[in-house]
Structure formats: structure tokens, C-alpha cells
Amino acid sequence: MNATKQNPDKGCLFLLAGISLCSLGIGIGTWLDCPYIKNLGIMMGGFVGSFVGSNYINIKKKKTPAWQWVVFFILILIMTALLTVFLESNGRK
């Protein structure tokens, strides 16, 4: 059984750091009453988890290219902005 070289310890630390930063973003967004920062912290939690799973814990040889992660990150920023606008416009009625 020929497994690819993995480093789950590094992935675990990266995941913990990412979730900590997301929690910090949610806290700052709540404290400053900035819904975009709060929503971005929520959305980035899933992004960090999928990034770590693909790059550090994945046992198959096919990895997601770096350019796709950049596209995913930009899409998350856009989706978060749209979600924030939608939720804020519904809250003002």
C-alpha cells in the first residue's frame, strides 16, 4: 500500500488556527456590529475546513490546484457580501 506523503499534524494546527481566526472574526463583527465581518467569519470556517481536508488529510493523489482555491476564496467573499446585503435588507422592513 503506497500512500502519499501526508502531514496531518500540520493540517491539525492549521485547522485550529483557522477556526480560531474565524471565531475572532465573528466576535469582532458582533462587537463592532458589522454583519459583513461576522458573516465572513462564519463562511470562512467551511473554507478552512475544506482547504485542510484537501491539502493535508486527503489520501488520494489528485489535489485541488492553487488557482481553484483562489477562485473559491473570491466566490466566498462575493457570496458573503450578497448574503449580508440580503439579510440586512430583510431586517429593515
Side-chain angles (χ1 to χ4, degrees), residues 22-82:
C22 291
S23 300
L24 182 66
I26 293 169
I28 289 172
T30 304
W31 182 57
L32 294 176
D33 196 26
C34 181
Y36 180 74
I37 296 174
K38 184 175 69 172
N39 290 339
L40 187 62
I42 293 168
M43 298 280 281
M44 290 304 289
F47 177 75
V48 169
S50 62
F51 179 78
V52 168
S54 175
N55 289 324
Y56 297 107
I57 304 172
N58 193 4
I59 58 172
K60 57 184 181 174
K61 292 184 180 182
K62 184 180 178 189
K63 300 273 183 188
T64 304
W67 67 269
Q68 282 186 350
W69 288 115
V70 173
V71 170
F72 292 152
F73 181 73
I74 292 170
L75 286 174
I76 285 177
L77 291 176
I78 293 169
M79 286 175 40
T80 303
L82 293 173

